Amino acid sequence: MHDSWVVKKKTSDAALPLVSRPGESSVVWVRDIPIGGEKAVVMAGPCSVESREQVTETAIAVKAAGAAVLRGGAYKPRTSPYDFQGLGVEGLMLLREAGDHTGMPVVTEVMSEEDVEIVADHADMLQVGARNMQNFALLRKIAKTRRPILLKRGPSATVKEWLAAAEYILHGGNESVVLCERGIKSFDNSLRNTLDLAAVALVKEMTQLPVIVDPSHATGKRSIIGKCARAALAVGADGVIVEVHPRPEEAWSDGAQSLTFAGFTEMMSDLTAPLAGVLNGG
Ligand code: PEP
Ligand code: MN
């Protein structure tokens, strides 16, 4: 059944030939937006699509502040089955509408193999969520779409496992993969996760694929997201993805880490501010 996936010869554990071409620096296009090119890309939007008003209002605000890609979840991987699970197809349609209204491509998560087609019909980029990074059947299925993929790092995944997951997608025929560091588990629970910026710098030396950072899920804490976004670009990330909500205190998911419109605008101006003047005598 999966003939093309039958490995006839055992390769060495270290061999990930398709993703290990750091000299090549690939650019992944999300419609008209290049990721991995000269300029960093900001993706922004609500954690979950909740209503037409909420996603449209957010799209207009983030676009005005300089975001290039609209994010929004329609299928939500929630820790508890009693939490809001996303609007599903209705959410996909509302996200598409808001993207078209503001002229932004849209990225959204696909959680299950059976939803790949419908999500690919509505979205410009497919997100593989952290919890699904090693869902190999899903990776094989999305490899067959012609959509670019945003591959989040699993909360407990090593760099090698993360790159091996990307290798599945390239091996399946889809070269358009953007990696996303979104925080990992560590001994420290002061924050939601531990943002592994060293891994970002490392992975940039190991692969040609663009790498972006999600400081929202990495920290879970609104007040430090802008600072972590700056740090991400400083270590060489090709962009950031952040959560924004018109009224974070009313958000159906991830309110504590959602930026207000004003907070997002401030983050954007801080990102474009030069780092000059930080060195003594500089
Ligand atoms: C998300 O982007 O809303 C999300 C659930 O991300 P992660 O898979 O990184 O937890
Ligand atoms: Mn979220």
Side-chain angles (χ1 to χ4, degrees), residues 22-86:
E24 294 180 22
S25 245
S26 64
V27 172
V28 170
W29 289 84
V30 182
R31 234 170 51 196
D32 56 333
I33 306 293
I35 304 176
E38 295 281 290
K39 293 188 176 160
V41 168
V42 175
M43 306 184 187
C47 177
S48 303
V49 175
E50 298 169 7
S51 67
R52 172 173 288 123
E53 295 66 34
Q54 174 246 17
V55 68
T56 306
E57 207 185 328
T58 308
I60 292 168
V62 300
K63 167 81 176 184
V69 177
L70 178 66
R71 67 146 285 149
Y75 297 90
K76 298 303 302 176
R78 303 307 300 278
T79 301
S80 163
Y82 305 112
D83 288 337
F84 174 57
Q85 305 286 308

Coordinates of all heavy atoms in Angstrom, one line a residue, residues 22-86:
P22 N 22.2 23.1 4.3 CA 22.2 24.5 4.8 C 22.8 25.5 3.8 O 22.4 26.7 3.9 CB 23.1 24.4 6.0 CG 23.9 23.1 5.9 CD 23.1 22.2 5.1
G23 N 23.6 25.1 2.9 CA 24.2 26.1 1.9 C 23.1 26.7 1.0 O 23.3 27.7 0.4
E24 N 22.0 26.0 0.9 CA 21.0 26.3 -0.1 C 20.0 27.4 0.3 O 19.4 28.1 -0.6 CB 20.3 25.1 -0.7 CG 21.2 24.1 -1.4 CD 20.5 22.9 -1.9 OE1 19.3 22.9 -2.1 OE2 21.2 21.9 -2.1
S25 N 19.7 27.5 1.5 CA 18.7 28.5 2.0 C 17.5 28.6 1.2 O 17.3 29.6 0.4 CB 19.5 29.9 2.0 OG 19.6 30.4 3.2
S26 N 16.6 27.7 1.4 CA 15.4 27.7 0.5 C 14.4 28.8 0.9 O 14.3 29.2 2.1 CB 14.7 26.4 0.4 OG 14.2 26.0 1.7
V27 N 13.7 29.4 0.0 CA 12.7 30.3 0.2 C 11.3 29.6 0.0 O 11.1 29.0 -1.0 CB 12.8 31.6 -0.7 CG1 11.6 32.5 -0.6 CG2 14.1 32.3 -0.4
V28 N 10.4 29.7 1.0 CA 9.1 29.1 0.9 C 8.1 30.2 0.6 O 8.0 31.2 1.4 CB 8.8 28.3 2.2 CG1 7.3 27.9 2.2 CG2 9.7 27.1 2.3
W29 N 7.3 30.0 -0.5 CA 6.4 31.1 -0.8 C 5.0 30.7 -0.3 O 4.5 29.6 -0.5 CB 6.3 31.2 -2.3 CG 7.5 31.9 -2.9 CD1 8.7 31.3 -3.3 CD2 7.7 33.3 -3.2 NE1 9.6 32.2 -3.7 CE2 9.0 33.4 -3.7 CE3 6.8 34.4 -3.0 CZ2 9.5 34.7 -4.0 CZ3 7.3 35.6 -3.4 CH2 8.7 35.8 -3.9
V30 N 4.4 31.6 0.5 CA 3.0 31.4 0.9 C 2.2 32.4 0.1 O 2.3 33.6 0.3 CB 2.8 31.7 2.4 CG1 1.4 31.4 2.8 CG2 3.7 30.8 3.2
R31 N 1.7 31.9 -1.0 CA 1.1 32.8 -2.1 C 2.2 33.8 -2.5 O 3.2 33.4 -3.0 CB -0.2 33.4 -1.7 CG -1.3 33.1 -2.7 CD -2.6 33.4 -2.3 NE -2.8 34.8 -1.8 CZ -3.8 35.2 -1.1 NH1 -4.8 34.3 -0.8 NH2 -3.9 36.5 -0.7
D32 N 2.0 35.1 -2.3 CA 3.0 36.1 -2.7 C 4.0 36.5 -1.7 O 4.8 37.4 -1.8 CB 2.3 37.3 -3.2 CG 1.3 37.9 -2.2 OD1 0.9 37.2 -1.3 OD2 1.1 39.2 -2.2
I33 N 4.0 35.8 -0.5 CA 4.9 36.1 0.6 C 6.1 35.1 0.7 O 5.9 33.9 0.9 CB 4.1 36.1 1.9 CG1 2.9 37.0 1.9 CG2 5.0 36.5 3.1 CD1 3.1 38.5 1.8
P34 N 7.3 35.6 0.5 CA 8.5 34.8 0.6 C 8.9 34.6 2.1 O 9.0 35.6 2.8 CB 9.5 35.5 -0.2 CG 9.1 36.9 -0.2 CD 7.7 37.0 0.1
I35 N 9.1 33.4 2.5 CA 9.6 33.1 3.9 C 11.0 32.5 3.7 O 11.2 31.5 3.0 CB 8.7 32.2 4.7 CG1 7.3 32.8 4.7 CG2 9.2 32.0 6.1 CD1 6.3 31.9 5.4
G36 N 12.0 33.1 4.4 CA 13.3 32.7 4.3 C 14.1 33.5 3.3 O 15.3 33.2 3.0
G37 N 13.5 34.6 2.9 CA 14.2 35.6 2.0 C 14.9 36.6 2.9 O 15.3 36.4 4.0
E38 N 15.1 37.8 2.3 CA 15.8 38.9 2.9 C 15.1 39.4 4.2 O 15.7 39.8 5.1 CB 15.9 40.1 1.9 CG 16.7 39.8 0.7 CD 18.2 39.9 1.0 OE1 18.7 41.0 1.2 OE2 18.9 38.8 1.0
K39 N 13.8 39.4 4.1 CA 13.0 40.1 5.2 C 12.3 39.1 6.1 O 11.8 38.1 5.6 CB 12.0 41.0 4.6 CG 12.7 42.2 3.9 CD 11.7 43.2 3.5 CE 12.4 44.4 2.9 NZ 11.5 45.3 2.0
A40 N 12.2 39.4 7.4 CA 11.5 38.6 8.3 C 10.0 38.7 8.0 O 9.5 39.8 7.6 CB 11.8 39.0 9.7
V41 N 9.3 37.7 8.3 CA 7.8 37.7 8.0 C 7.1 37.5 9.4 O 7.5 36.7 10.2 CB 7.4 36.5 7.1 CG1 6.0 36.3 7.1 CG2 8.0 36.7 5.7
V42 N 6.0 38.3 9.6 CA 5.2 38.2 10.8 C 3.9 37.6 10.4 O 3.2 38.1 9.5 CB 5.1 39.5 11.5 CG1 4.1 39.4 12.7 CG2 6.4 40.1 11.9
M43 N 3.5 36.5 11.1 CA 2.2 35.9 10.9 C 1.4 36.2 12.2 O 2.0 36.1 13.3 CB 2.3 34.4 10.8 CG 3.2 34.0 9.6 SD 3.2 32.2 9.4 CE 4.5 32.0 8.2
A44 N 0.2 36.6 12.1 CA -0.5 37.0 13.3 C -2.0 36.7 13.1 O -2.5 36.7 12.0 CB -0.3 38.5 13.7
G45 N -2.7 36.6 14.3 CA -4.1 36.4 14.2 C -4.6 35.6 15.5 O -3.7 35.3 16.4
P46 N -5.9 35.4 15.6 CA -6.3 34.7 16.8 C -5.9 33.3 17.0 O -5.6 32.6 16.0 CB -7.9 34.8 16.7 CG -8.1 34.9 15.2 CD -6.9 35.6 14.6
C47 N -5.8 32.8 18.2 CA -5.6 31.4 18.4 C -6.7 30.6 17.7 O -6.4 29.8 16.9 CB -5.6 31.1 20.0 SG -5.4 29.3 20.3
S48 N -7.9 30.9 18.1 CA -9.1 30.2 17.4 C -9.9 31.3 16.7 O -10.1 32.4 17.2 CB -10.0 29.6 18.5 OG -9.3 28.7 19.3
V49 N -10.4 30.9 15.5 CA -11.5 31.7 14.9 C -12.7 31.5 15.7 O -13.2 30.3 15.9 CB -11.7 31.2 13.4 CG1 -12.8 31.9 12.8 CG2 -10.4 31.3 12.6
E50 N -13.3 32.6 16.1 CA -14.5 32.5 17.0 C -15.8 33.0 16.3 O -16.9 32.5 16.5 CB -14.3 33.3 18.2 CG -13.1 32.8 19.1 CD -12.8 33.8 20.2 OE1 -13.5 34.8 20.4 OE2 -11.7 33.5 20.9
S51 N -15.6 34.0 15.5 CA -16.8 34.6 14.7 C -16.2 35.4 13.6 O -15.1 35.8 13.5 CB -17.6 35.5 15.7 OG -16.8 36.7 16.0
R52 N -17.1 35.8 12.7 CA -16.8 36.6 11.5 C -16.2 37.9 12.0 O -15.1 38.4 11.6 CB -18.0 36.9 10.6 CG -17.7 37.9 9.5 CD -18.8 38.0 8.5 NE -18.9 36.8 7.6 CZ -20.0 36.0 7.5 NH1 -21.1 36.3 8.2 NH2 -19.9 35.0 6.7
E53 N -16.9 38.6 13.0 CA -16.4 39.9 13.5 C -15.0 39.8 14.1 O -14.2 40.6 13.8 CB -17.4 40.4 14.5 CG -18.8 40.7 14.0 CD -19.6 39.5 13.6 OE1 -19.4 38.4 14.2 OE2 -20.4 39.6 12.6
Q54 N -14.9 38.8 14.9 CA -13.6 38.6 15.7 C -12.4 38.4 14.7 O -11.4 39.1 14.8 CB -13.7 37.4 16.6 CG -12.4 37.1 17.3 CD -11.9 35.7 16.9 OE1 -12.3 35.2 15.9 NE2 -10.9 35.2 17.7
V55 N -12.6 37.6 13.7 CA -11.4 37.3 12.8 C -11.2 38.4 11.8 O -10.1 38.8 11.5 CB -11.5 35.9 12.2 CG1 -12.6 35.8 11.2 CG2 -10.2 35.5 11.6
T56 N -12.3 39.0 11.4 CA -12.1 40.1 10.4 C -11.5 41.3 11.1 O -10.6 41.9 10.5 CB -13.5 40.5 9.8 OG1 -14.1 39.3 9.3 CG2 -13.4 41.5 8.7
E57 N -12.0 41.7 12.3 CA -11.5 42.8 13.0 C -10.0 42.6 13.3 O -9.1 43.5 13.1 CB -12.2 42.8 14.4 CG -12.3 44.1 15.1 CD -13.0 43.9 16.5 OE1 -13.8 43.0 16.6 OE2 -12.6 44.7 17.4
T58 N -9.6 41.4 13.6 CA -8.2 41.1 13.9 C -7.4 41.2 12.7 O -6.3 41.7 12.7 CB -8.1 39.7 14.6 OG1 -9.0 39.6 15.7 CG2 -6.7 39.4 15.0
A59 N -7.9 40.6 11.6 CA -7.2 40.6 10.3 C -6.9 42.1 9.9 O -5.7 42.4 9.5 CB -8.0 39.9 9.2
I60 N -7.9 42.9 10.0 CA -7.7 44.4 9.6 C -6.6 45.0 10.5 O -5.7 45.7 10.0 CB -9.0 45.1 9.7 CG1 -10.0 44.6 8.6 CG2 -8.8 46.6 9.5 CD1 -11.4 45.0 8.8
A61 N -6.7 44.7 11.8 CA -5.7 45.4 12.7 C -4.3 44.9 12.5 O -3.3 45.6 12.5 CB -6.1 45.1 14.1
V62 N -4.1 43.5 12.3 CA -2.7 43.0 12.2 C -2.1 43.4 10.8 O -0.9 43.7 10.7 CB -2.6 41.5 12.4 CG1 -3.0 41.2 13.9 CG2 -3.3 40.6 11.4
K63 N -3.0 43.5 9.8 CA -2.5 43.9 8.5 C -2.0 45.3 8.5 O -1.0 45.7 8.0 CB -3.7 43.7 7.5 CG -3.5 44.4 6.1 CD -2.6 43.5 5.2 CE -2.5 44.2 3.8 NZ -1.8 43.4 2.9
A64 N -2.8 46.2 9.2 CA -2.5 47.6 9.3 C -1.1 47.8 10.0 O -0.4 48.7 9.7 CB -3.6 48.4 10.0
A65 N -0.9 46.9 11.0 CA 0.4 47.0 11.8 C 1.6 46.3 11.1 O 2.7 46.4 11.5 CB 0.2 46.4 13.1
G66 N 1.3 45.6 9.9 CA 2.4 45.1 9.2 C 2.6 43.6 9.1 O 3.5 43.0 8.6
A67 N 1.5 42.8 9.6 CA 1.6 41.4 9.4 C 1.4 41.0 8.0 O 0.8 41.7 7.2 CB 0.5 40.7 10.2
A68 N 2.1 39.9 7.6 CA 2.0 39.5 6.2 C 1.1 38.3 6.0 O 0.6 38.1 4.9 CB 3.4 39.1 5.7
V69 N 0.9 37.5 7.0 CA 0.1 36.3 6.9 C -0.9 36.2 8.1 O -0.5 36.6 9.2 CB 1.0 35.0 6.9 CG1 0.2 33.7 6.9 CG2 2.0 35.0 5.8
L70 N -2.1 35.9 7.8 CA -3.1 35.8 8.9 C -3.2 34.3 9.4 O -3.3 33.4 8.6 CB -4.5 36.1 8.3 CG -5.7 36.1 9.2 CD1 -5.6 37.1 10.4 CD2 -7.0 36.3 8.5
R71 N -3.1 34.2 10.7 CA -3.3 32.9 11.3 C -4.7 32.8 12.0 O -5.3 33.8 12.4 CB -2.2 32.5 12.3 CG -2.2 33.4 13.6 CD -1.7 32.6 14.8 NE -2.7 31.7 15.3 CZ -2.5 30.5 15.9 NH1 -1.2 30.1 16.1 NH2 -3.5 29.7 16.3
G72 N -5.1 31.6 12.3 CA -6.4 31.4 13.0 C -6.7 29.9 13.0 O -6.7 29.2 12.0
G73 N -7.1 29.4 14.2 CA -7.3 27.9 14.3 C -8.8 27.6 14.1 O -9.7 28.3 14.7
A74 N -9.1 26.6 13.3 CA -10.4 26.1 13.1 C -10.6 24.7 13.7 O -11.6 24.3 14.1 CB -10.8 26.1 11.6
Y75 N -9.5 24.0 13.7 CA -9.4 22.7 14.4 C -8.4 22.8 15.5 O -7.2 23.0 15.2 CB -9.0 21.6 13.4 CG -10.0 21.4 12.3 CD1 -9.8 22.1 11.1 CD2 -11.0 20.5 12.4 CE1 -10.7 22.0 10.0 CE2 -12.0 20.3 11.4 CZ -11.8 21.1 10.2 OH -12.7 20.9 9.2
K76 N -8.8 22.7 16.7 CA -7.9 23.1 17.9 C -7.5 21.8 18.6 O -8.4 21.1 19.1 CB -8.6 24.0 18.8 CG -9.0 25.4 18.2 CD -7.8 26.1 17.6 CE -6.7 26.4 18.6 NZ -5.5 27.0 18.0
P77 N -6.2 21.6 18.8 CA -5.8 20.5 19.6 C -5.8 21.0 21.1 O -4.9 21.7 21.6 CB -4.3 20.3 19.2 CG -3.9 21.7 18.7 CD -5.1 22.4 18.3
R78 N -6.8 20.6 21.8 CA -7.0 21.1 23.2 C -6.6 19.9 24.2 O -7.0 18.8 24.0 CB -8.4 21.6 23.5 CG -8.8 22.7 22.5 CD -7.9 23.9 22.5 NE -7.7 24.5 23.7 CZ -8.5 25.4 24.3 NH1 -9.6 25.8 23.6 NH2 -8.3 26.0 25.4
T79 N -6.0 20.3 25.3 CA -5.6 19.3 26.3 C -6.8 18.6 26.8 O -6.8 17.4 27.1 CB -4.8 20.0 27.4 OG1 -3.6 20.6 26.7 CG2 -4.3 19.0 28.4
S80 N -7.9 19.3 27.1 CA -9.1 18.7 27.6 C -10.2 18.6 26.6 O -10.4 19.6 25.8 CB -9.6 19.5 28.8 OG -11.0 19.2 29.1
P81 N -10.9 17.5 26.5 CA -12.0 17.4 25.6 C -13.2 18.3 25.9 O -14.1 18.5 25.1 CB -12.4 15.9 25.7 CG -12.0 15.5 27.1 CD -10.8 16.3 27.4
Y82 N -13.2 18.9 27.1 CA -14.3 19.8 27.4 C -14.0 21.3 27.0 O -14.8 22.1 27.2 CB -14.5 19.7 28.9 CG -14.8 18.3 29.4 CD1 -13.9 17.6 30.2 CD2 -15.9 17.6 28.9 CE1 -14.1 16.3 30.5 CE2 -16.1 16.3 29.2 CZ -15.2 15.7 30.0 OH -15.4 14.3 30.4
D83 N -12.7 21.5 26.5 CA -12.4 22.9 26.0 C -12.9 23.0 24.6 O -13.1 22.1 23.9 CB -10.9 23.1 26.1 CG -10.4 23.2 27.5 OD1 -11.2 23.6 28.4 OD2 -9.2 22.9 27.7
F84 N -13.0 24.3 24.2 CA -13.5 24.6 22.8 C -12.6 24.0 21.8 O -11.4 24.1 21.8 CB -13.5 26.2 22.7 CG -13.8 26.7 21.3 CD1 -15.0 26.3 20.7 CD2 -12.8 27.5 20.6 CE1 -15.2 26.8 19.4 CE2 -13.1 28.0 19.4 CZ -14.3 27.6 18.7
Q85 N -13.2 23.3 20.9 CA -12.5 22.5 19.9 C -12.3 23.1 18.5 O -11.7 22.5 17.6 CB -13.2 21.1 19.7 CG -13.4 20.3 21.0 CD -12.1 19.7 21.6 OE1 -11.4 19.0 20.9 NE2 -11.8 20.0 22.9
G86 N -12.8 24.3 18.4 CA -12.7 25.0 17.1 C -14.0 24.9 16.3 O -14.8 24.0 16.6

